[in-house]
Amino acid sequence: LSLLKESKSSHREAYMRAWGRAFYEVHEECDFDINPTSLFSYLRSQNWKEGIYISKSEARTWVSRREGDGGLRWRMLPLHAAILFKAPTEMISAILHAYPQAANCRDDQG
């Protein structure tokens, strides 16, 4: 996979599109521009008080953003967003409590 990510070939593009489709079939995901989860919105706005009430469903839902041509701009779980937006330790702990497997998941940056 890492070699394909660095390649510029049409085979790489086809593989990455197919891999992306397979990813979506086994993970819940929402589009940042259309329907971000409430949890992601709270994290983004640094509304820690509201965000602390975490559902397991939202804790495991990936949020992604696409480029105009449909290519992936970014993809992350709430755990990644909490770290990015410098959430307090209590918020990160609550996300991990709701979805412990998040600690094993990589965002689009690896």
Side-chain angles (χ1 to χ4, degrees):
L1 182 60
S2 63
L3 290 176
L4 281 168
K5 282 184 175 182
E6 296 169 10
S7 170
K8 302 288 185 206
S9 74
S10 60
H11 295 293
R12 175 212 179 264
E13 292 173 17
Y15 177 83
M16 294 306 287
R17 278 193 305 272
W19 185 85
R21 281 191 302 272
F23 178 90
Y24 294 129
E25 290 172 7
V26 296
H27 295 89
E28 293 182 46
E29 183 154 352
C30 63
D31 186 304
F32 170 79
D33 293 309
I34 298 170
N35 62 339
T37 63
S38 296
L39 175 56
F40 189 86
S41 296
Y42 294 141
L43 292 168
R44 185 169 176 254
S45 66
Q46 299 183 339
N47 185 346
W48 314 129
K49 190 173 184 172
E50 292 296 324
I52 202 72
Y53 303 105
I54 298 169
S55 75
K56 289 183 180 186
S57 174
E58 286 196 351
R60 69 173 184 255
T61 299
W62 292 81
V63 179
S64 65
R65 192 167 204 185
R66 300 252 164 217
E67 300 288 351
D69 65 1
L72 183 65
R73 178 181 270 176
W74 53 261
R75 175 188 297 130
M76 66 179 73
L77 282 170
L79 177 62
H80 305 129
I83 293 166
L84 176 71
F85 298 125
K86 299 180 170 76
T89 304
E90 296 80 16
M91 175 66 74
I92 293 171
S93 295
I95 292 169
L96 284 169
H97 180 74
Y99 183 53
Q101 297 89 333
N104 297 319
C105 297
R106 296 180 181 188
D107 67 4
D108 63 291
Q109 300 297 306

